[in-house]
Amino acid sequence: MNFSKNEITDHVAQVARDFAIKNIHPHVMEWDEAQYFPKDVMHEMGKLGLMGIFVPEQYGGSGFGYFEYVAAIEEVAKVCGSIGLSLAAHNSLCTGHILYCGNEEQKNKYLPKLATGEWLGTWGLTEPNTGSDAGNLKTTATKEGNEWILNGTKCWITHGISAEVAVVIARTGEPRTSGNSTAFIVERGTTGFKAGKKENKLGMRASETSEMIFDQCRIPDANRIGEVGDGFRQALKILDGGRISIAALSLGIAKGAYEAALKYSQERYQFDQPISNFQGISFKLADMATEIAAAELLIMKAADLKNRGEKVTEAGAMAKYYASESAVKISNDAVQIFGGYGYTKDFPVEKYYRDSKLCTIGEGTSEIQKIVIAREQLK
Ligand SMILES: Cc1cc2nc3c(=O)[nH]c(=O)nc-3n(C[C@H](O)[C@H](O)[C@H](O)COP(=O)(O)OP(=O)(O)OC[C@H]3O[C@@H](n4cnc5c(N)ncnc54)[C@H](O)[C@@H]3O)c2cc1C
């Protein structure tokens, strides 16, 4: 394993950090309270190359690898988990699906717009009755001549309202049979495709989450990604890589919470001394630092495998499972270290706490990660 970061990774991290501090940090609580999704920020990140980090330069991307990708997400998430989540969903899911599974025509048509941030991407797998059991889709795609007709509702979709282009996985075969789903590209404005309800969430409130509704939505066969019946296999492949980005998102949130708690513990005096003098606090800080270091190693391992084109199913699941559960624990401890102040919106830790919880749910819950890891172990 080669985890050596180089100056390119450091440079990308610096660019993401500077942007987040200047353009996101001043608005974090305002956007959170209003559930405002700042789409213009996504466009601006596109101008910096952050919206197509691992897309090759020939398609308008930055041509970087996964070390640079996780570094960027981590830096943005340290400042705001919501924007980190949106960055991850855009890069890994919609853009990643077209890059890894699309044909040349599709890549040439969509990637330059997505990778530069001119267009925002979304990815629809989950449905009201089909979450963890993602093979049991109700949304259907029926072939008629040279077109497909989509019917059904997707839910919990990041950028379901604002994205210009969606990758949608729909059932094209009989229910509960293998190879029964196919992925399609649907552009915003296509007749029969509209956004539904926007969710009012606990955390990640500045990242837009909504339904996507398909009602007799006709799309050309040219928008089919790969073979008919290959949709579920493609989705699993995309999630394998996507989980590395949710692990990086978790790590950024955990580091943000830890750094705030570390500083506060040295500034807050009780019993005439900084609270960091109390072992009850310093041991929490020791646990937090250790878990952050462990999460970082798991993420680096998964990113390294991904860079080398090797299978990341287990490593991605381990990184996502550990980093997300740690982020919840670390941000919970950060609130505890802040005491009553931590429970208010005047200090940043309550938001890290709320945002962190999504990381144990999105792109496969912790229980699903354990199923994936156990399956790999028991092979
Ligand atoms: C903010 C947000 C953004 C999202 N963005 C997207 C997106 O862009 N695109 C998209 O397609 N989806 C998206 N999702 C959906 C997300 O991936 C699902 O919520 C997730 O996969 C879980 O599905 P579910 O919510 O239906 O829960 P369920 O599948 O109903 O699970 C409920 C509980 O049962 C447990 N469970 C289920 N099956 C098993 C089992 N076999 N063994 C043990 N426990 C089990 C789960 O772990 C969980 O604890 C998003 C979700 C959120 C909250």
Side-chain angles (χ1 to χ4, degrees), residues 265-278:
S265 72
Q266 292 162 300
E267 291 167 352
R268 174 69 174 170
Y269 274 64
Q270 290 294 286
F271 303 96
D272 303 320
Q273 54 192 307
I275 59 170
S276 57
N277 279 4
F278 306 129

Side-chain angles (χ1 to χ4, degrees), residues 45-309:
M45 287 196 293
K47 291 180 191 160
L48 297 174
L50 301 177
M51 295 287 273
I53 299 180
F54 52 74
V55 173
E57 285 169 282
Q58 71 179 106
Y59 302 116
S62 299
F64 294 135
Y66 264 65
F67 287 142
E68 289 73 37
Y69 182 36
V70 300
I73 291 187
E74 184 190 317
E75 292 298 338
V76 171
K78 252 195 216 174
V79 173
C80 179
S82 297
I83 309 301
L85 172 61
S86 277
L87 192 60
H90 171 90
N91 273 284
S92 293
L93 302 180
C94 179
T95 308
H97 201 135
I98 295 172
L99 174 66
Y100 293 127
C101 308
N103 59 32
E104 272 314 303
E105 199 182 317
Q106 291 163 344
K107 290 190 217 182
N108 284 318
K109 183 171 178 189
Y110 294 105
L111 291 180
K113 287 194 168 97
L114 289 165
T116 53
E118 184 186 338
W119 278 15
L120 185 65
T122 184
W123 191 78
L125 175 67
T126 310
E127 300 179 355
N129 295 308
T130 307
S132 303
D133 188 11
N136 186 24
L137 297 175
K138 301 284 185 289
T139 297
T140 55
T142 316
K143 188 115 193 269
E144 202 179 279
N146 208 24
E147 289 183 324
W148 291 88
I149 306 170
L150 268 64
N151 280 294
T153 299
K154 297 288 177 182
C155 70
W156 309 110
I157 306 304
T158 303
H159 313 146
I161 298 168
S162 295
E164 279 82 11
V165 60
V167 169
V168 180
I169 296 99
R171 186 161 56 74
T172 46
E174 291 304 309
R176 291 288 183 200
T177 58
S178 72
N180 71 355
S181 64
T182 306
F184 300 92
I185 300 170
V186 188
E187 290 184 31
R188 174 77 51 210
T190 307
T191 307
F193 171 33
K194 63 175 183 184
K197 181 185 157 225
K198 178 175 172 174
E199 302 300 338
N200 183 5
K201 307 194 298 292
L202 168 75
M204 300 292 194
R205 289 170 58 82
S207 178
E208 175 187 278
T209 314
S210 79
E211 291 176 326
M212 292 197 301
I213 299 168
F214 301 91
D215 181 11
Q216 293 294 110
C217 174
R218 282 178 180 269
I219 50 165
D221 188 47
N223 285 23
R224 169 172 48 81
I225 304 181
E227 298 301 318
V228 174
D230 201 32
F232 188 59
R233 192 197 60 81
Q234 290 175 15
L236 292 184
K237 181 179 171 188
I238 297 309
L239 287 170
D240 278 351
R243 284 168 185 161
I244 302 173
S245 68
I246 300 300
L249 175 66
S250 312
L251 183 64
I253 293 171
K255 281 191 180 176
Y258 169 71
E259 285 168 15
L262 181 69
K263 185 163 175 282
Y264 185 83
S265 72
Q266 292 162 300
E267 291 167 352
R268 174 69 174 170
Y269 274 64
Q270 290 294 286
F271 303 96
D272 303 320
Q273 54 192 307
I275 59 170
S276 57
N277 279 4
F278 306 129
Q279 210 172 61
I281 298 295
S282 65
F283 275 18
K284 273 191 184 33
L285 292 167
D287 283 342
M288 292 156 98
T290 305
E291 289 182 19
I292 284 170
E296 197 152 30
L297 284 173
L298 285 171
I299 293 168
M300 288 300 140
K301 179 183 173 183
D304 183 49
L305 288 172
K306 185 76 183 159
N307 279 345
R308 288 193 278 119

Side-chain angles (χ1 to χ4, degrees), residues 243 311 313-318 321 365-379:
R243 284 168 185 161
K311 198 170 173 228
T313 304
E314 184 179 51
M318 282 181 172
Y321 167 49
T365 62
S366 289
E367 290 77 11
I368 295 303
Q369 304 314 311
K370 284 196 261 191
I371 290 173
V372 171
I373 297 162
R375 194 181 290 144
E376 294 293 318
Q377 290 291 320
L378 293 166
K379 259 181 183 169

